Amino acid sequence: MITSVLVANRGEIARRIFRTARSLGLSTVAVYSSADARMPFVDEADAAVHLPGNTPGETYLRSDLIIDAARRTGADAVHPGYGFLSENAAFAQAVLDAGLTWVGPPVDAISSMGSKIEAKKLMAAAGVPVLAELTPAEVSADDLPVLVKASAGGGGRGMRVVSRLEDLAAEIDAASAEALSAFGDGTVFCERYLASGRHIEVQVMADRHGTIWAVGERECSIQRRHQKVVEEAPSPLVERIPAMRPRLFDAARKAAAAIGYVGAGTVEFLADEDGNFYFLEMNTRLQVEHPVTEETTGLDLVELQFAVAAGEHLPPEPPPTVGHAIEVRLYAEDPLHDWQPQTGTLQRFALEREVRVDSGVEDGSEVSPYYDAMLAKVIAYGPDRTAVARRLAGVLQRATIHGVGTNRDLLAWVLRHPAFLAGDTDTAFFDRHGVAPGPDDAVVRLSALAAALADAAGRQARTPVRVPSGWRNLVSQPQRKSYRYGDVVVEVEYRLTRDGLTVAGDTALISLDCGHVVLEVDGVRRSFDVAAYDGLTCVDSSLGSVALRPVERFVDPAAQVAAGSLVAPMPGTVIRVGVAVGEVVKQGQPLLWLEAMKMEHTIAAPADGVVSELTVEAGQQVEVGAVLAVVGEET
């Protein structure tokens, strides 16, 4: 009998499991790294144990420390969540050896699916459709394009698409190196690449008594870097091809039965537009996107995990799927700059609660470079797919998210895109349609004007003598204030007159206080909410959200870097250095590779030249803005 559960995870999924555990009357235990000491999940647990260090290797991947924490706190069960050790058979066995209940599948089932190469052989033998595996040596021009995949992991790590035979060897080496770093196993294989396939998966739930449920399917085709961004249930493709669902469910049940599966798991398939599908992998754990299945079935999958772990029987059949649910993953990243992760303090985080928000953060949370960039999952449910998509887009657009850049605008754009609303959602969505553009120049300028006016009003309110800066007895020059938006500097003007603050041109100031500005342009009135933080001003309006950085009038010379300097765009770890001092390089040539938030990022030469300085080495941790190398002219 389970009375206390330790969740061997962090963030959003830890909070999600705690929520169900509390409803079942179980006490909860958290483990946390130094970087996570002030995160919400730590305070929400009944007890918490510190794992010294920051990186996953020092903390959440240390099975010995986690089991010791369970012993010290009196926990009698361990739930792994997803990621980290959730699909590690050795960890599952260690939990059982310690006399604890493992809230997960049998150790042998985890081992069977741990190698994608061996898993595909098992599935083929069980009658599940698979794509033929290709060894790197046998790939020919007729096989192209191919996908190089890590055998031991997922999440887009160790994965490369190869379209030219001459690139194959180099991409295999790169994928193998990334897989070795991420999973401790550099084994890779190749398979035929379906450039515009559909990613369809089936949620399974099985008990110890032979009952196997296929609990509806999900579609997760909209991806970036082979990682999911938007997930929904049911699948638009399967809805269009009704005969596909029984075949999918039958294949998923066969897959689970072939390995004696028990608990919650997901069988993933790659499908084409005609309804043909092929086994990709089986995730022997709870999936990130499990909420859409919960919303459309009324099930609590975590509660079922606890029940199955305790030996309870499942009913003969699962409940039917009703309505439609869509989940979006809110990431701290910049889609317009190669999905670059964003770090820093999340000053404000507020979404309307008319939808489900599974979040790992709150106001004041620190987004660190050590873990996945996902801040929250936002899920909407209703009877109609189009209405659900539009409602979810509106909630995202009205969200207040300050301090860290996110993919919020991209998600709202996807949900309103005609192709998405038509159900045309294959894995090449972003390749075909691009990504959401940022706000246009007019919106940025109007937001900057609102920010400057709110700043001026705030300074007036704080000034003991009511003669504000810039006041003149006669008409003189306007006040000017500059903001940086990305790489662009925006300068705006306003005047201080006997009647107060005014603006010129076709823009009229209607009302103003420190945090709220109403402007009218060409007869259209709009409201702007302005929030100022140290070095950052955030402006929210119906035109969108704009994050501005005030430009200081006097720049600290120590903050300047030499021309040709390559600086770290984010905190991270240097995993490879591809050049040496004195080496001649070409514009765009990769020079260094950084790893941050479970993603690999290439730092390339900004121009032709020679490497005159190299300030880092492999394995070194760097902060954002740190100079990594300098590329000077060849002369």
Side-chain angles (χ1 to χ4, degrees), residues 272-558:
D272 62 24
E273 292 295 330
D274 297 323
N276 302 305
F277 57 86
Y278 310 93
F279 174 83
L280 279 176
E281 62 184 352
M282 183 174 183
N283 293 128
T284 53
R285 54 173 169 79
L286 194 68
Q287 287 281 91
V288 176
E289 56 273 21
H290 76 273
V292 294
T293 297
E294 294 183 326
E295 293 296 316
T296 52
T297 61
L299 294 170
D300 182 329
L301 293 176
V302 176
E303 182 177 346
L304 287 173
Q305 285 186 294
F306 283 121
V308 168
E312 296 181 19
H313 288 260
L314 290 173
E317 297 293 332
T321 295
V322 178
H324 201 94
I326 301 175
E327 171 183 294
V328 293
R329 300 191 189 187
L330 188 64
Y331 283 110
E333 65 183 13
D334 184 354
L336 291 172
H337 291 86
D338 197 28
W339 314 97
Q340 192 178 100
Q342 307 292 295
T343 58
T345 302
L346 196 58
Q347 304 284 4
R348 183 89 172 93
F349 185 77
L351 290 98
E352 297 172 2
R353 293 296 169 160
E354 66 178 78
V355 295
R356 174 174 169 178
V357 180
D358 286 10
S359 169
V361 297
E362 59 187 16
D363 291 1
S365 291
E366 195 70 25
V367 181
S368 80
Y370 301 108
Y371 315 112
D372 186 88
M374 190 173 72
L375 302 177
K377 303 178 311 198
V378 189
I379 308 102
Y381 169 77
D384 175 74
R385 180 177 183 269
T386 298
V388 169
R390 287 176 174 160
R391 182 158 60 93
L392 185 53
V395 168
L396 290 168
Q397 207 70 58
R398 293 187 296 273
T400 303
I401 306 172
H402 295 166
V404 177
T406 72
N407 66 338
R408 179 260 303 274
D409 291 342
L410 172 84
L411 297 174
W413 174 81
V414 168
L415 293 168
R416 290 168 170 158
H417 198 285
F420 178 84
L421 295 174
D424 184 11
T425 56
D426 62 33
T427 54
F429 188 90
F430 291 127
D431 293 333
R432 188 165 58 253
H433 300 294
V435 298
D440 62 33
D441 294 345
V443 172
V444 173
R445 181 166 293 280
L446 205 56
S447 299
L449 177 59
L453 292 168
D455 177 65
R459 282 187 284 105
Q460 285 187 53
R462 295 190 298 270
T463 304
V465 179
R466 296 290 177 171
V467 181
S469 168
W471 187 87
R472 296 290 186 273
N473 203 25
L474 299 172
V475 174
S476 183
Q477 296 298 310
Q479 290 283 84
R480 295 183 176 88
K481 191 166 182 63
S482 297
Y483 294 92
R484 187 175 294 279
Y485 177 75
D487 297 328
V488 178
V489 174
V490 181
E491 185 178 86
V492 293
E493 299 180 350
Y494 58 91
R495 289 186 182 276
L496 292 163
T497 71
R498 295 177 185 276
D499 299 321
L501 292 162
T502 62
V503 293
D506 59 358
T507 303
L509 175 60
I510 305 301
S511 65
L512 168 68
D513 62 36
C514 299
H516 188 72
V517 181
V518 179
L519 298 173
E520 187 174 283
V521 182
D522 292 334
V524 178
R525 188 172 295 189
R526 295 188 188 275
S527 297
F528 298 81
D529 291 315
V530 181
Y533 308 99
D534 185 20
L536 175 70
T537 301
C538 298
V539 184
D540 296 305
S541 74
S542 60
L543 297 172
S545 297
V546 177
L548 303 163
R549 298 201 175 273
V551 176
E552 299 298 330
R553 292 186 179 183
F554 305 103
V555 180
D556 181 359

Side-chain angles (χ1 to χ4, degrees), residues 191-208:
E191 65 184 17
R192 184 164 57 93
Y193 178 61
L194 300 181
S196 57
R198 307 283 283 250
H199 188 117
I200 312 294
E201 60 189 33
V202 179
Q203 174 72 56
V204 295
M205 179 67 71
D207 64 19
R208 298 178 186 174

Side-chain angles (χ1 to χ4, degrees), residues 19-308:
R19 188 166 68 243
T20 289
R22 284 193 299 270
S23 74
L24 297 174
L26 307 180
S27 62
T28 56
V29 179
V31 289
Y32 64 95
S33 68
S34 299
D36 279 343
R38 305 180 77 174
M39 295 298 280
F41 78 95
V42 180
D43 291 335
E44 290 180 7
D46 296 316
V49 178
H50 179 219
L51 306 178
N54 290 317
T55 67
E58 297 171 309
T59 56
Y60 300 107
L61 295 177
R62 288 285 302 274
S63 60
D64 56 334
L65 297 181
I66 291 170
I67 291 172
D68 179 63
R71 286 198 186 101
R72 289 161 56 194
T73 56
D76 48 29
V78 173
H79 193 305
Y82 53 71
F84 295 129
L85 293 170
S86 62
E87 295 180 282
N88 187 303
F91 176 57
Q93 187 62 57
V95 169
L96 296 171
D97 291 344
L100 305 170
T101 297
W102 169 248
V103 187
V107 173
D108 289 345
I110 299 174
S111 297
S112 298
M113 294 294 105
S115 164
K116 289 188 175 66
I117 294 174
E118 296 305 314
K120 291 180 73 170
K121 293 176 182 177
L122 276 172
M123 294 300 102
V128 179
V130 299
L131 283 171
E133 177 199 336
L134 301 168
T135 63
E138 66 186 10
V139 175
S140 67
D142 293 335
D143 298 316
L144 299 175
V146 296
L147 186 63
V148 181
K149 297 177 71 173
S151 178
R157 309 293 304 274
M159 192 177 289
R160 298 289 191 280
V161 177
V162 181
S163 301
R164 303 192 313 163
L165 206 55
E166 56 266 36
D167 297 335
L168 183 62
E171 294 291 6
I172 286 173
D173 288 344
S176 180
E178 187 176 4
L180 183 64
S181 171
F183 313 118
D185 183 346
T187 305
V188 297
F189 66 98
C190 301
E191 65 184 17
R192 184 164 57 93
Y193 178 61
L194 300 181
S196 57
R198 307 283 283 250
H199 188 117
I200 312 294
E201 60 189 33
V202 179
Q203 174 72 56
V204 295
M205 179 67 71
D207 64 19
R208 298 178 186 174
H209 313 286
T211 300
I212 302 175
W213 284 357
V215 196
E217 86 284 344
R218 301 184 286 255
E219 179 154 348
C220 314
S221 299
I222 296 184
Q223 304 177 4
R224 55 94 168 103
R225 292 188 167 187
H226 308 292
Q227 291 179 310
K228 302 162 188 173
V229 178
V230 180
E231 299 112 339
E232 57 183 314
S235 157
L237 176 67
V238 178
E239 288 283 277
R240 179 166 60 81
I241 307 175
M244 185 179 176
R245 184 170 286 126
R247 294 187 293 114
L248 265 176
F249 287 7
D250 180 60
R253 284 190 290 261
K254 284 180 178 177
I259 59 172
Y261 200 78
V262 175
T266 299
V267 187
E268 301 196 350
F269 300 94
L270 189 64
D272 62 24
E273 292 295 330
D274 297 323
N276 302 305
F277 57 86
Y278 310 93
F279 174 83
L280 279 176
E281 62 184 352
M282 183 174 183
N283 293 128
T284 53
R285 54 173 169 79
L286 194 68
Q287 287 281 91
V288 176
E289 56 273 21
H290 76 273
V292 294
T293 297
E294 294 183 326
E295 293 296 316
T296 52
T297 61
L299 294 170
D300 182 329
L301 293 176
V302 176
E303 182 177 346
L304 287 173
Q305 285 186 294
F306 283 121
V308 168

